[in-house]
Amino acid sequence: CRPITGNHRWMTQPVAELVAQLLQPYVTELPVWVKDTDQINRKLDALYVPEGALLLTYDIVRLYPSIPHELCYTLLQQHLHRRGCQYADFIVAALRIVLNRNYCLFDDKIYRQFIGFATGISCGGEVANLFIFVLTQDVFRRYAAHILNHDRYIDDGFIIWTGTTALAAALFAELNALNTNIQLTFTISLWTSIFLDLTIFKGRLFKQKHILDTKCYQKPMNRYLFMPFNSEHTTACKISIVHGELRRYIKRSSARDDYIGIAGLLRQRLHLR
């Protein structure tokens, strides 16, 4: 099963917050690190994509609860030393304290989580980002000649690939062979891919300028349970939901028709609530 245990109020959280602060500069310097979808939008707006390029996406299955502790300590320490971090040994020692004291309550029994770490741990994103980068960097380096663009948001990745489909499959086979705990699911497509809340595809812009088109992706299982209008929330709060969503739709949509269509769906969903 997949353990989902809240860690935001546990006694190791202050130490985890310190580890997160110390690791943050080393995360943001990673060549594949991406802050949010806005950054992806800006990058794609200026990126020329060849005609036969493939769009690859991957997802690391159950990343947080699957990270092996000892391998994580080793890779993290090596990377920080290479980057000249003067706090490398302290960070790993502090991380040992945090990860060795991961507990959860289930069916009136207390368990210690000895693989991976709990949801809500303050340094979770930073540790996972660095661990995956160091673990996979040699494989990606061997295929660098075929990678036009590579972005990763913790456990979700997007690649614009100039090689063949067979080479792309070989890349993912090598990645899945790195560690039995860390496994990837992936898609390979000539025309479209889904990354975060973006559908990235070859449409009107691609035909005209060889720039990838985008539109807002919404999960089929989403029930759009917006707050009812008769809730006690302020009017300003309710209006901000509408404005915030419309701004996001505008930024995600490279075609006006796509924006108009999804804005109409928002109106219907709000009406139903």
Side-chain angles (χ1 to χ4, degrees), residues 69-161:
H69 289 184
E70 290 300 325
L71 179 60
C72 180
Y73 302 143
T74 301
L75 295 183
L76 195 63
Q77 194 166 33
Q78 291 174 354
H79 179 74
L80 293 175
H81 277 304
R82 283 196 298 267
R83 301 304 301 159
C85 175
Q86 57 181 318
Y87 306 114
D89 295 336
F90 168 77
I91 289 172
V92 173
L95 188 60
R96 282 183 180 274
I97 293 173
V98 173
L99 297 189
N100 286 338
R101 287 158 180 81
N102 252 344
Y103 299 97
C104 64
L105 181 68
F106 178 76
D107 198 20
D108 294 325
K109 296 179 182 178
I110 295 175
Y111 296 87
R112 182 170 71 89
Q113 189 171 335
F114 60 92
I115 297 177
F117 41 82
T119 302
I121 187 172
S122 288
C123 60
E126 289 78 11
V127 172
N129 252 316
L130 288 167
F131 170 75
I132 290 300
F133 175 78
V134 181
L135 179 69
T136 61
Q137 63 179 339
D138 288 341
V139 174
F140 281 117
R141 190 179 293 122
R142 287 197 291 274
Y143 289 88
H146 307 292
I147 298 175
L148 179 64
N149 181 74
H150 182 193
D151 295 301
R152 180 169 54 77
Y153 185 83
I154 306 180
D155 58 348
D156 292 307
F158 169 66
I159 298 172
I160 301 176
W161 181 262

Side-chain angles (χ1 to χ4, degrees), residues 227-250:
M227 67 175 73
F229 191 75
N230 60 0
S231 75
E232 294 301 315
H233 292 80
T234 65
T235 300
C237 180
K238 296 165 187 172
I239 292 174
S240 68
I241 292 175
V242 180
H243 288 180
E245 283 295 85
L246 290 177
R247 289 192 189 99
R248 187 169 68 90
Y249 297 162
I250 289 171

Side-chain angles (χ1 to χ4, degrees), residues 52-56 143 146 161-173 186-191:
L54 297 172
L55 307 179
L56 317 182
Y143 289 88
H146 307 292
W161 181 262
T162 59
T164 63
T165 302
L167 274 175
L171 164 70
F172 288 117
F186 60 91
T187 62
I188 302 172
S189 174
L190 180 62
W191 299 106

